[in-house]
Amino acid sequence: MGHRDRGRRLRRGRDARGDAGEGAARTGGARRMRPHVTLLDEALLARITGEAITLLGETGARVQAPAAQALLADHGATVADGIARFPEPMLRAALATAPPRFHLYDRAGAPAVEYGGERSHFDPGSSCVNVLDPDTRAQRPAMAADLVRLVQVAEGLPAYAAQSTAMVCDEIPQEIADLYRLFLVLWYSGKPVVTGAFSAGTTRAMLALLEAECGGAAALRARPRAVFDVCPVPPLLWSDYAGESLILLARAGVPAEIVSVPLAGATAPVTLAGAVVQHTAECLAGLAIHQHAAPGAPVVWGGAPAIFDMRTGNAPMGAIETAMLNAACSQVGRSFGLPTHGYLCGSDAKVVDAQAGLETGMAALTGVLAGISMISGAGMLDFLACHSAEKLVLDAEAIAFAQRFGRGIEARGESLALAMFARTGRSGEFLKLKETRNLFREEQYLPSPVIDRASLRGWQDAGALDAFARARARADQLVAEYRRPALAPEREAAMLTLMRAEAARVGLTTLPGT
C-alpha cells in the first residue's frame, strides 16, 4: 500500500468513526448521526465535579429539616449548627443508587415519557402568576379558567409530552394554590404532569390527590404520573420544606426533579463554570438526602440556572448564557448517568413578538442538541411571570424544528442520489419520482398553518394574519376540538371528595374551573 492510498484509507476510517460516534444509530436500514452539543471538555468537567465535591466537604450546605439532618448524619455527613458537610464516599454512594432512567405514565397507565432516554421531551413552563389576555394582548392575573384553557391547548399539541401546573390561579386561596392547580391539570389532561408543591404539607395532599386519581399508593408508585420539582435556595441551602419534600417523594416512589437555580453574578459565582460548580454541589446535596431516604427512588438532575443582568437586576431566561448554563449543567448530570431537566424556551419579552421567537427558538435547539431529558418553560414570557396559550402554540413549532434538527441527516438506500439521477438525468423532474412521494414526509417536518409558507398573494387571501393571530386561531381550534379524557367514576368521586374538603378548609365554597 502506497503512502497516498494509506493516507486516504486512514482518513476514510476516521470519517467513518466520526459518523458512527456518539449518538450514531441505524433506523430501518438508514444510518444517521444524532447531533450533540457539549460545552465542557473532559478536563473542565472533572474540575467542576471535583470543586463541587470539595465545596460540599469543606464549606458544606445548610440543611434545615431535622429529618434530613438526621438522615445525612446517619450516612456519614458531619452536621453541626444546621450545616452539613458531605464526605465524597457518601455522595458517590447516592449517585450509585440513583436510577439512570424511568418513565412517567399517562392517565391510562401507559408509559408516556422516558426520562434518561435519547429523546428530549418538552412541557409548558410552570407557576406563572399572570396570563397574556388573547383579546387585549395585555397581562392580567391568571384565573382558573385560564389554566383550563392552557391545559386544553397543550393537550392537543404533540410537541408537549407532558403538562405542567402552569399557573397559580388568582382566585384560589394561597394555602391550597399548588394543590388546586394540580387538581385542574389532572381533571382535564391525560398526559403526565410536571408539578411542584409550595410546602411539605401540600406535598402530602398532592400525593393523596395523585393516589385518588390513579387508584392508590401502590399504583402511583408502580406507574407515577407526575414528577415534582424541588428547589434548593441558592447558595447551598436546602430549606425545611424542600428537604422534607425530597424525603416524602423518595419514600412514596414518586419522581423528584432537583431544580437548582443559581443566578450567575448574584446568588452564584459570575463565571459560567463557577455557577455550574454551585449547581452541581446543590444537586449532589439534594441527591444525597433523596437517595439515602430511599435508595433507587426515581430522581432527575434538573435545574433552572440563569445569569444576572447587571443593567436591569433581572434574571434573563432568554439569554444565550442561560441556555449555555442549562446545557452545561445537563452535561454534568449525564456524566453521572442521570436523567436531566432544564428550564428553556421561556422569553423575557412582554408580548409574543420577534424577541420571544428568537429566544425560544435558540433555546429549544440548544436543549435538544444538549440531550436534556425534559425541557420546561414553553409558553412563558416576562421572566417566567406570564403565560400565553398563543405563545405555547408558536413554541410547539420551534420545538418541532429543534427535534427535526436533532434527528440529524440519514443515508437512505444504496445510493444517496445516483439512483434518482439515473432516472431523471439533468431534467430536474424529481417531483415525479416515487422516492419523492415516499420519503418527503420523513425528510421534512411539515409545520401547522401557524407557520406561514404561502405566497404573498396566498397570505393576503387568507386574511394577512400575523403570527399571533394565526396562533390565536389555532388555540381556539384546539379548545373547540378538546374532549376531556375519561376517568373511572369512583376515581373522579375520590378526587372531588378530597378537593372539596381542602377547599372548604380554606373557605372556598365552589371549585372554580370545573
Side-chain angles (χ1 to χ4, degrees):
M1 181 191 300
H3 291 299
R4 190 170 296 173
D5 288 339
R6 186 169 182 273
R8 279 199 293 267
R9 291 189 181 190
L10 287 172
R11 284 195 293 276
R12 283 201 296 270
R14 281 196 293 270
D15 290 345
R17 284 194 295 275
D19 287 346
E22 184 184 0
R26 283 185 179 275
T27 55
R31 187 178 186 80
R32 64 184 168 85
M33 181 193 75
R34 294 181 65 90
H36 284 275
V37 165
T38 54
L39 298 182
L40 312 173
D41 63 25
E42 289 187 9
L44 183 54
L45 183 61
R47 284 186 65 186
I48 286 170
T49 303
E51 287 199 18
I53 290 172
T54 300
L55 189 62
L56 286 177
E58 295 181 356
T59 303
R62 283 179 288 169
V63 177
Q64 292 180 332
Q69 292 177 5
L71 191 69
L72 294 172
D74 286 347
H75 289 82
T78 302
V79 182
D81 299 326
I83 305 296
R85 291 179 172 80
F86 300 71
E88 181 171 350
M90 176 195 187
L91 299 173
R92 297 288 181 191
L95 285 166
T97 58
R101 63 185 63 200
F102 64 87
H103 285 92
L104 291 184
Y105 294 78
D106 62 19
R107 173 174 279 182
V113 169
E114 183 186 28
Y115 271 87
E118 279 197 1
R119 186 176 175 82
S120 292
H121 304 282
F122 288 79
D123 72 295
S126 63
S127 300
C128 278
V129 294
N130 291 329
V131 63
L132 192 74
D133 189 294
D135 293 323
T136 65
R137 302 195 191 188
Q139 294 189 29
R140 59 172 172 74
M143 308 296 283
D146 298 313
L147 176 55
V148 172
R149 179 174 184 260
L150 194 86
V151 170
Q152 292 174 342
V153 170
E155 200 71 1
L157 293 171
Y160 301 108
Q163 293 273 359
S164 77
T165 41
M167 297 178 191
V168 180
C169 307
D170 191 64
E171 73 269 53
I172 305 301
Q174 185 177 355
E175 298 95 316
I176 61 167
D178 48 1
L179 172 66
Y180 199 83
R181 60 185 187 150
L182 176 62
F183 166 70
L184 286 181
V185 176
L186 292 175
W187 193 255
Y188 286 102
S189 173
K191 293 183 178 182
V193 186
V194 179
T195 188
F198 299 156
S199 73
T202 45
T203 301
R204 294 184 182 88
M206 292 168 77
L207 289 173
L209 182 65
L210 285 163
E211 291 171 6
E213 192 262 352
C214 73
L220 179 61
R221 179 186 292 273
R223 293 181 296 279
R225 194 177 157 199
V227 58
F228 280 64
D229 290 346
V230 187
C231 306
V233 178
L236 299 171
L237 167 61
W238 276 94
S239 68
D240 203 28
Y241 134 71
E244 275 193 48
S245 290
L246 282 178
I247 294 171
L248 281 171
L249 292 166
R251 290 176 176 165
V254 174
E257 197 159 73
I258 298 174
V259 181
S260 164
V261 292
L263 195 57
T267 61
V270 70
T271 61
L272 301 190
V276 177
V277 168
Q278 180 177 316
H279 177 278
T280 303
E282 289 174 347
C283 283
L284 282 173
L287 194 78
I289 297 170
H290 184 268
Q291 287 299 297
H292 288 304
V299 65
V300 182
W301 187 272
I307 61 166
F308 180 76
D309 190 302
M310 300 296 174
R311 302 165 304 169
T312 64
N314 288 318
M317 298 305 292
I320 191 63
E321 295 87 354
T322 294
M324 293 167 69
L325 279 169
N326 276 268
C329 292
S330 170
Q331 188 180 342
V332 175
R334 285 201 318 281
S335 75
F336 292 134
L338 297 175
T340 58
H341 160 267
Y343 227 97
L344 296 166
C345 299
S347 172
D348 307 320
K350 311 305 177 288
V351 295
V352 182
D353 60 5
Q355 179 185 337
L358 161 72
E359 293 172 344
T360 300
M362 294 193 72
L365 187 59
T366 302
V368 168
L369 296 182
I372 300 174
S373 304
M374 178 63 80
I375 299 168
S376 303
M380 301 179 97
L381 294 162
D382 192 12
F383 309 103
L384 312 185
C386 179
H387 235 307
S388 164
E390 285 66 32
K391 182 176 185 293
L392 198 71
V393 168
L394 286 163
D395 292 355
E397 298 295 338
I399 290 165
F401 280 28
Q403 288 176 327
R404 172 64 191 94
F405 195 108
R407 292 204 308 273
I409 294 177
E410 301 180 13
R412 302 179 189 277
E414 293 302 316
S415 78
L416 304 177
L418 293 179
M420 287 185 271
F421 269 103
R423 290 195 290 283
T424 63
R426 289 186 291 274
S427 69
E429 294 179 324
F430 293 100
L431 276 174
K432 295 180 178 178
L433 294 184
K434 181 180 177 182
E435 290 91 332
T436 303
R437 295 192 296 277
N438 289 344
L439 295 176
F440 83 94
R441 291 182 186 279
E442 296 179 48
E443 289 288 303
Q444 302 175 8
Y445 166 67
L446 300 179
S448 79
V450 169
I451 300 299
D452 172 42
R453 289 183 177 175
S455 65
L456 175 60
R457 180 64 177 273
W459 175 72
Q460 291 170 333
D461 289 347
L465 302 178
D466 64 12
F468 187 91
R470 295 193 298 273
R472 169 69 188 275
R474 177 71 172 140
D476 288 346
Q477 178 192 11
L478 290 168
V479 171
E481 295 172 351
Y482 167 84
R483 298 291 180 271
R484 184 170 161 248
L487 181 63
E490 65 274 16
R491 295 185 186 179
E492 274 194 7
M495 291 175 67
L496 287 172
T497 299
L498 185 152
M499 202 61 248
R500 284 172 178 149
E502 289 291 329
R505 184 174 60 81
V506 296
L508 198 62
T509 57
T510 62
L511 299 182
T514 60

PDB file of all heavy atoms in Angstrom, residues 323-356:
ATOM      1  N   ALA A 323     -29.076  29.619  28.322  1.00  0.00           N
ATOM      2  CA  ALA A 323     -29.146  28.358  27.572  1.00  0.00           C
ATOM      3  C   ALA A 323     -27.852  27.563  27.731  1.00  0.00           C
ATOM      4  O   ALA A 323     -27.872  26.333  27.891  1.00  0.00           O
ATOM      5  CB  ALA A 323     -29.427  28.648  26.104  1.00  0.00           C
ATOM      6  N   MET A 324     -26.704  28.276  27.694  1.00  0.00           N
ATOM      7  CA  MET A 324     -25.416  27.587  27.852  1.00  0.00           C
ATOM      8  C   MET A 324     -25.306  26.944  29.235  1.00  0.00           C
ATOM      9  O   MET A 324     -24.811  25.819  29.380  1.00  0.00           O
ATOM     10  CB  MET A 324     -24.269  28.590  27.636  1.00  0.00           C
ATOM     11  CG  MET A 324     -24.183  29.108  26.207  1.00  0.00           C
ATOM     12  SD  MET A 324     -23.093  30.557  26.062  1.00  0.00           S
ATOM     13  CE  MET A 324     -21.490  29.787  26.366  1.00  0.00           C
ATOM     14  N   LEU A 325     -25.772  27.653  30.266  1.00  0.00           N
ATOM     15  CA  LEU A 325     -25.729  27.088  31.614  1.00  0.00           C
ATOM     16  C   LEU A 325     -26.580  25.819  31.710  1.00  0.00           C
ATOM     17  O   LEU A 325     -26.165  24.823  32.309  1.00  0.00           O
ATOM     18  CB  LEU A 325     -26.229  28.124  32.622  1.00  0.00           C
ATOM     19  CG  LEU A 325     -25.232  29.189  33.078  1.00  0.00           C
ATOM     20  CD1 LEU A 325     -25.944  30.290  33.854  1.00  0.00           C
ATOM     21  CD2 LEU A 325     -24.125  28.570  33.935  1.00  0.00           C
ATOM     22  N   ASN A 326     -27.761  25.850  31.116  1.00  0.00           N
ATOM     23  CA  ASN A 326     -28.618  24.662  31.145  1.00  0.00           C
ATOM     24  C   ASN A 326     -27.939  23.488  30.440  1.00  0.00           C
ATOM     25  O   ASN A 326     -27.988  22.348  30.921  1.00  0.00           O
ATOM     26  CB  ASN A 326     -29.962  24.970  30.489  1.00  0.00           C
ATOM     27  CG  ASN A 326     -30.944  25.614  31.442  1.00  0.00           C
ATOM     28  OD1 ASN A 326     -31.736  24.929  32.087  1.00  0.00           O
ATOM     29  ND2 ASN A 326     -30.890  26.941  31.560  1.00  0.00           N
ATOM     30  N   ALA A 327     -27.303  23.767  29.295  1.00  0.00           N
ATOM     31  CA  ALA A 327     -26.625  22.692  28.567  1.00  0.00           C
ATOM     32  C   ALA A 327     -25.460  22.128  29.381  1.00  0.00           C
ATOM     33  O   ALA A 327     -25.256  20.908  29.451  1.00  0.00           O
ATOM     34  CB  ALA A 327     -26.130  23.216  27.219  1.00  0.00           C
ATOM     35  N   ALA A 328     -24.693  23.021  30.017  1.00  0.00           N
ATOM     36  CA  ALA A 328     -23.525  22.565  30.779  1.00  0.00           C
ATOM     37  C   ALA A 328     -23.955  21.779  32.027  1.00  0.00           C
ATOM     38  O   ALA A 328     -23.370  20.738  32.345  1.00  0.00           O
ATOM     39  CB  ALA A 328     -22.665  23.761  31.179  1.00  0.00           C
ATOM     40  N   CYS A 329     -24.979  22.285  32.730  1.00  0.00           N
ATOM     41  CA  CYS A 329     -25.455  21.566  33.927  1.00  0.00           C
ATOM     42  C   CYS A 329     -25.994  20.190  33.538  1.00  0.00           C
ATOM     43  O   CYS A 329     -25.798  19.198  34.255  1.00  0.00           O
ATOM     44  CB  CYS A 329     -26.528  22.386  34.643  1.00  0.00           C
ATOM     45  SG  CYS A 329     -25.893  23.900  35.402  1.00  0.00           S
ATOM     46  N   SER A 330     -26.685  20.125  32.403  1.00  0.00           N
ATOM     47  CA  SER A 330     -27.183  18.836  31.933  1.00  0.00           C
ATOM     48  C   SER A 330     -26.030  17.890  31.606  1.00  0.00           C
ATOM     49  O   SER A 330     -26.100  16.687  31.880  1.00  0.00           O
ATOM     50  CB  SER A 330     -28.060  19.055  30.700  1.00  0.00           C
ATOM     51  OG  SER A 330     -28.371  17.832  30.092  1.00  0.00           O
ATOM     52  N   GLN A 331     -24.968  18.435  31.039  1.00  0.00           N
ATOM     53  CA  GLN A 331     -23.809  17.585  30.711  1.00  0.00           C
ATOM     54  C   GLN A 331     -23.212  16.973  31.972  1.00  0.00           C
ATOM     55  O   GLN A 331     -22.816  15.800  31.985  1.00  0.00           O
ATOM     56  CB  GLN A 331     -22.757  18.406  29.966  1.00  0.00           C
ATOM     57  CG  GLN A 331     -21.603  17.560  29.428  1.00  0.00           C
ATOM     58  CD  GLN A 331     -20.561  18.385  28.694  1.00  0.00           C
ATOM     59  OE1 GLN A 331     -20.812  19.527  28.283  1.00  0.00           O
ATOM     60  NE2 GLN A 331     -19.371  17.819  28.517  1.00  0.00           N
ATOM     61  N   VAL A 332     -23.166  17.747  33.045  1.00  0.00           N
ATOM     62  CA  VAL A 332     -22.664  17.199  34.311  1.00  0.00           C
ATOM     63  C   VAL A 332     -23.565  16.063  34.782  1.00  0.00           C
ATOM     64  O   VAL A 332     -23.103  14.982  35.167  1.00  0.00           O
ATOM     65  CB  VAL A 332     -22.577  18.298  35.390  1.00  0.00           C
ATOM     66  CG1 VAL A 332     -22.179  17.693  36.741  1.00  0.00           C
ATOM     67  CG2 VAL A 332     -21.583  19.380  34.984  1.00  0.00           C
ATOM     68  N   GLY A 333     -24.890  16.281  34.708  1.00  0.00           N
ATOM     69  CA  GLY A 333     -25.821  15.235  35.137  1.00  0.00           C
ATOM     70  C   GLY A 333     -25.680  13.973  34.301  1.00  0.00           C
ATOM     71  O   GLY A 333     -25.702  12.853  34.839  1.00  0.00           O
ATOM     72  N   ARG A 334     -25.537  14.145  32.982  1.00  0.00           N
ATOM     73  CA  ARG A 334     -25.377  12.966  32.115  1.00  0.00           C
ATOM     74  C   ARG A 334     -24.082  12.235  32.423  1.00  0.00           C
ATOM     75  O   ARG A 334     -24.006  11.004  32.316  1.00  0.00           O
ATOM     76  CB  ARG A 334     -25.413  13.377  30.649  1.00  0.00           C
ATOM     77  CG  ARG A 334     -26.797  13.709  30.121  1.00  0.00           C
ATOM     78  CD  ARG A 334     -26.837  13.599  28.588  1.00  0.00           C
ATOM     79  NE  ARG A 334     -25.671  14.163  27.937  1.00  0.00           N
ATOM     80  CZ  ARG A 334     -25.469  15.447  27.721  1.00  0.00           C
ATOM     81  NH1 ARG A 334     -26.371  16.323  28.114  1.00  0.00           N
ATOM     82  NH2 ARG A 334     -24.378  15.880  27.113  1.00  0.00           N
ATOM     83  N   SER A 335     -23.040  12.989  32.830  1.00  0.00           N
ATOM     84  CA  SER A 335     -21.766  12.329  33.145  1.00  0.00           C
ATOM     85  C   SER A 335     -21.912  11.417  34.358  1.00  0.00           C
ATOM     86  O   SER A 335     -21.140  10.473  34.528  1.00  0.00           O
ATOM     87  CB  SER A 335     -20.669  13.372  33.396  1.00  0.00           C
ATOM     88  OG  SER A 335     -20.828  13.995  34.674  1.00  0.00           O
ATOM     89  N   PHE A 336     -22.915  11.700  35.204  1.00  0.00           N
ATOM     90  CA  PHE A 336     -23.201  10.815  36.341  1.00  0.00           C
ATOM     91  C   PHE A 336     -24.176   9.709  35.970  1.00  0.00           C
ATOM     92  O   PHE A 336     -24.575   8.903  36.821  1.00  0.00           O
ATOM     93  CB  PHE A 336     -23.790  11.622  37.507  1.00  0.00           C
ATOM     94  CG  PHE A 336     -22.822  12.571  38.158  1.00  0.00           C
ATOM     95  CD1 PHE A 336     -23.203  13.875  38.449  1.00  0.00           C
ATOM     96  CD2 PHE A 336     -21.542  12.168  38.503  1.00  0.00           C
ATOM     97  CE1 PHE A 336     -22.322  14.758  39.063  1.00  0.00           C
ATOM     98  CE2 PHE A 336     -20.653  13.042  39.117  1.00  0.00           C
ATOM     99  CZ  PHE A 336     -21.037  14.337  39.396  1.00  0.00           C
ATOM    100  N   GLY A 337     -24.635   9.713  34.718  1.00  0.00           N
ATOM    101  CA  GLY A 337     -25.580   8.685  34.282  1.00  0.00           C
ATOM    102  C   GLY A 337     -27.001   8.936  34.732  1.00  0.00           C
ATOM    103  O   GLY A 337     -27.775   7.985  34.901  1.00  0.00           O
ATOM    104  N   LEU A 338     -27.370  10.203  34.921  1.00  0.00           N
ATOM    105  CA  LEU A 338     -28.694  10.533  35.452  1.00  0.00           C
ATOM    106  C   LEU A 338     -29.571  11.181  34.379  1.00  0.00           C
ATOM    107  O   LEU A 338     -29.074  11.871  33.495  1.00  0.00           O
ATOM    108  CB  LEU A 338     -28.550  11.508  36.626  1.00  0.00           C
ATOM    109  CG  LEU A 338     -27.795  10.982  37.841  1.00  0.00           C
ATOM    110  CD1 LEU A 338     -27.633  12.087  38.866  1.00  0.00           C
ATOM    111  CD2 LEU A 338     -28.524   9.794  38.448  1.00  0.00           C
ATOM    112  N   PRO A 339     -30.900  10.993  34.469  1.00  0.00           N
ATOM    113  CA  PRO A 339     -31.805  11.764  33.610  1.00  0.00           C
ATOM    114  C   PRO A 339     -31.739  13.239  33.979  1.00  0.00           C
ATOM    115  O   PRO A 339     -31.464  13.585  35.133  1.00  0.00           O
ATOM    116  CB  PRO A 339     -33.182  11.167  33.916  1.00  0.00           C
ATOM    117  CG  PRO A 339     -33.045  10.437  35.192  1.00  0.00           C
ATOM    118  CD  PRO A 339     -31.611  10.066  35.360  1.00  0.00           C
ATOM    119  N   THR A 340     -31.979  14.100  32.989  1.00  0.00           N
ATOM    120  CA  THR A 340     -31.738  15.523  33.210  1.00  0.00           C
ATOM    121  C   THR A 340     -32.975  16.359  32.873  1.00  0.00           C
ATOM    122  O   THR A 340     -33.889  15.912  32.199  1.00  0.00           O
ATOM    123  CB  THR A 340     -30.555  16.008  32.350  1.00  0.00           C
ATOM    124  OG1 THR A 340     -30.851  15.743  30.970  1.00  0.00           O
ATOM    125  CG2 THR A 340     -29.276  15.301  32.740  1.00  0.00           C
ATOM    126  N   HIS A 341     -32.923  17.586  33.344  1.00  0.00           N
ATOM    127  CA  HIS A 341     -34.011  18.553  33.130  1.00  0.00           C
ATOM    128  C   HIS A 341     -33.392  19.939  33.001  1.00  0.00           C
ATOM    129  O   HIS A 341     -32.344  20.225  33.597  1.00  0.00           O
ATOM    130  CB  HIS A 341     -34.978  18.518  34.332  1.00  0.00           C
ATOM    131  CG  HIS A 341     -35.835  19.744  34.456  1.00  0.00           C
ATOM    132  ND1 HIS A 341     -35.494  20.831  35.224  1.00  0.00           N
ATOM    133  CD2 HIS A 341     -37.027  20.054  33.893  1.00  0.00           C
ATOM    134  CE1 HIS A 341     -36.447  21.756  35.136  1.00  0.00           C
ATOM    135  NE2 HIS A 341     -37.382  21.301  34.338  1.00  0.00           N
ATOM    136  N   GLY A 342     -34.024  20.802  32.214  1.00  0.00           N
ATOM    137  CA  GLY A 342     -33.575  22.187  32.103  1.00  0.00           C
ATOM    138  C   GLY A 342     -34.762  23.115  31.942  1.00  0.00           C
ATOM    139  O   GLY A 342     -35.885  22.670  31.639  1.00  0.00           O
ATOM    140  N   TYR A 343     -34.506  24.412  32.167  1.00  0.00           N
ATOM    141  CA  TYR A 343     -35.575  25.397  32.033  1.00  0.00           C
ATOM    142  C   TYR A 343     -35.230  26.318  30.878  1.00  0.00           C
ATOM    143  O   TYR A 343     -34.429  27.243  31.007  1.00  0.00           O
ATOM    144  CB  TYR A 343     -35.753  26.183  33.337  1.00  0.00           C
ATOM    145  CG  TYR A 343     -37.202  26.273  33.737  1.00  0.00           C
ATOM    146  CD1 TYR A 343     -37.748  25.393  34.658  1.00  0.00           C
ATOM    147  CD2 TYR A 343     -38.045  27.208  33.139  1.00  0.00           C
ATOM    148  CE1 TYR A 343     -39.079  25.429  34.995  1.00  0.00           C
ATOM    149  CE2 TYR A 343     -39.383  27.251  33.471  1.00  0.00           C
ATOM    150  CZ  TYR A 343     -39.889  26.363  34.410  1.00  0.00           C
ATOM    151  OH  TYR A 343     -41.231  26.402  34.737  1.00  0.00           O
ATOM    152  N   LEU A 344     -35.848  26.046  29.728  1.00  0.00           N
ATOM    153  CA  LEU A 344     -35.565  26.784  28.492  1.00  0.00           C
ATOM    154  C   LEU A 344     -36.886  27.078  27.786  1.00  0.00           C
ATOM    155  O   LEU A 344     -37.926  26.533  28.150  1.00  0.00           O
ATOM    156  CB  LEU A 344     -34.647  25.963  27.584  1.00  0.00           C
ATOM    157  CG  LEU A 344     -33.247  25.677  28.131  1.00  0.00           C
ATOM    158  CD1 LEU A 344     -32.552  24.592  27.311  1.00  0.00           C
ATOM    159  CD2 LEU A 344     -32.405  26.949  28.120  1.00  0.00           C
ATOM    160  N   CYS A 345     -36.807  27.891  26.763  1.00  0.00           N
ATOM    161  CA  CYS A 345     -37.959  28.237  25.897  1.00  0.00           C
ATOM    162  C   CYS A 345     -38.860  29.301  26.501  1.00  0.00           C
ATOM    163  O   CYS A 345     -39.860  29.673  25.878  1.00  0.00           O
ATOM    164  CB  CYS A 345     -38.803  27.025  25.519  1.00  0.00           C
ATOM    165  SG  CYS A 345     -37.899  25.790  24.591  1.00  0.00           S
ATOM    166  N   GLY A 346     -38.557  29.813  27.681  1.00  0.00           N
ATOM    167  CA  GLY A 346     -39.234  30.998  28.167  1.00  0.00           C
ATOM    168  C   GLY A 346     -38.574  32.225  27.544  1.00  0.00           C
ATOM    169  O   GLY A 346     -37.412  32.175  27.134  1.00  0.00           O
ATOM    170  N   SER A 347     -39.307  33.311  27.462  1.00  0.00           N
ATOM    171  CA  SER A 347     -38.761  34.539  26.886  1.00  0.00           C
ATOM    172  C   SER A 347     -38.911  35.678  27.877  1.00  0.00           C
ATOM    173  O   SER A 347     -39.812  35.676  28.725  1.00  0.00           O
ATOM    174  CB  SER A 347     -39.496  34.889  25.589  1.00  0.00           C
ATOM    175  OG  SER A 347     -39.098  36.173  25.124  1.00  0.00           O
ATOM    176  N   ASP A 348     -38.036  36.661  27.758  1.00  0.00           N
ATOM    177  CA  ASP A 348     -38.131  37.845  28.605  1.00  0.00           C
ATOM    178  C   ASP A 348     -38.986  38.943  27.967  1.00  0.00           C
ATOM    179  O   ASP A 348     -39.238  39.974  28.597  1.00  0.00           O
ATOM    180  CB  ASP A 348     -36.720  38.377  28.914  1.00  0.00           C
ATOM    181  CG  ASP A 348     -35.830  37.277  29.474  1.00  0.00           C
ATOM    182  OD1 ASP A 348     -36.332  36.472  30.283  1.00  0.00           O
ATOM    183  OD2 ASP A 348     -34.662  37.186  29.069  1.00  0.00           O
ATOM    184  N   ALA A 349     -39.438  38.717  26.723  1.00  0.00           N
ATOM    185  CA  ALA A 349     -40.330  39.675  26.070  1.00  0.00           C
ATOM    186  C   ALA A 349     -41.641  39.771  26.852  1.00  0.00           C
ATOM    187  O   ALA A 349     -42.037  38.836  27.549  1.00  0.00           O
ATOM    188  CB  ALA A 349     -40.601  39.232  24.633  1.00  0.00           C
ATOM    189  N   LYS A 350     -42.309  40.906  26.720  1.00  0.00           N
ATOM    190  CA  LYS A 350     -43.568  41.106  27.453  1.00  0.00           C
ATOM    191  C   LYS A 350     -44.783  40.740  26.610  1.00  0.00           C
ATOM    192  O   LYS A 350     -45.891  40.608  27.136  1.00  0.00           O
ATOM    193  CB  LYS A 350     -43.678  42.573  27.904  1.00  0.00           C
ATOM    194  CG  LYS A 350     -42.420  43.102  28.606  1.00  0.00           C
ATOM    195  CD  LYS A 350     -42.013  42.239  29.787  1.00  0.00           C
ATOM    196  CE  LYS A 350     -40.731  42.744  30.433  1.00  0.00           C
ATOM    197  NZ  LYS A 350     -39.505  42.517  29.636  1.00  0.00           N
ATOM    198  N   VAL A 351     -44.588  40.625  25.319  1.00  0.00           N
ATOM    199  CA  VAL A 351     -45.652  40.202  24.404  1.00  0.00           C
ATOM    200  C   VAL A 351     -45.065  39.146  23.468  1.00  0.00           C
ATOM    201  O   VAL A 351     -43.851  38.905  23.460  1.00  0.00           O
ATOM    202  CB  VAL A 351     -46.197  41.390  23.583  1.00  0.00           C
ATOM    203  CG1 VAL A 351     -46.889  42.399  24.486  1.00  0.00           C
ATOM    204  CG2 VAL A 351     -45.075  42.071  22.797  1.00  0.00           C
ATOM    205  N   VAL A 352     -45.932  38.519  22.685  1.00  0.00           N
ATOM    206  CA  VAL A 352     -45.465  37.486  21.748  1.00  0.00           C
ATOM    207  C   VAL A 352     -44.980  38.197  20.492  1.00  0.00           C
ATOM    208  O   VAL A 352     -45.756  38.537  19.602  1.00  0.00           O
ATOM    209  CB  VAL A 352     -46.606  36.496  21.441  1.00  0.00           C
ATOM    210  CG1 VAL A 352     -46.103  35.399  20.508  1.00  0.00           C
ATOM    211  CG2 VAL A 352     -47.138  35.884  22.732  1.00  0.00           C
ATOM    212  N   ASP A 353     -43.669  38.430  20.444  1.00  0.00           N
ATOM    213  CA  ASP A 353     -43.094  39.210  19.348  1.00  0.00           C
ATOM    214  C   ASP A 353     -41.839  38.519  18.818  1.00  0.00           C
ATOM    215  O   ASP A 353     -41.570  37.356  19.140  1.00  0.00           O
ATOM    216  CB  ASP A 353     -42.793  40.639  19.805  1.00  0.00           C
ATOM    217  CG  ASP A 353     -41.787  40.681  20.964  1.00  0.00           C
ATOM    218  OD1 ASP A 353     -41.261  39.601  21.350  1.00  0.00           O
ATOM    219  OD2 ASP A 353     -41.529  41.772  21.479  1.00  0.00           O
ATOM    220  N   ALA A 354     -41.071  39.267  18.006  1.00  0.00           N
ATOM    221  CA  ALA A 354     -39.877  38.678  17.404  1.00  0.00           C
ATOM    222  C   ALA A 354     -38.861  38.265  18.462  1.00  0.00           C
ATOM    223  O   ALA A 354     -38.188  37.238  18.324  1.00  0.00           O
ATOM    224  CB  ALA A 354     -39.261  39.666  16.422  1.00  0.00           C
ATOM    225  N   GLN A 355     -38.719  39.054  19.538  1.00  0.00           N
ATOM    226  CA  GLN A 355     -37.786  38.670  20.606  1.00  0.00           C
ATOM    227  C   GLN A 355     -38.190  37.332  21.219  1.00  0.00           C
ATOM    228  O   GLN A 355     -37.332  36.473  21.479  1.00  0.00           O
ATOM    229  CB  GLN A 355     -37.749  39.745  21.694  1.00  0.00           C
ATOM    230  CG  GLN A 355     -36.816  39.375  22.849  1.00  0.00           C
ATOM    231  CD  GLN A 355     -36.842  40.373  24.001  1.00  0.00           C
ATOM    232  OE1 GLN A 355     -37.208  41.534  23.822  1.00  0.00           O
ATOM    233  NE2 GLN A 355     -36.457  39.920  25.180  1.00  0.00           N
ATOM    234  N   ALA A 356     -39.487  37.159  21.438  1.00  0.00           N
ATOM    235  CA  ALA A 356     -39.964  35.890  22.022  1.00  0.00           C
ATOM    236  C   ALA A 356     -39.614  34.726  21.097  1.00  0.00           C
ATOM    237  O   ALA A 356     -39.176  33.662  21.556  1.00  0.00           O
ATOM    238  CB  ALA A 356     -41.470  35.949  22.260  1.00  0.00           C
TER     239      ALA A 356
END
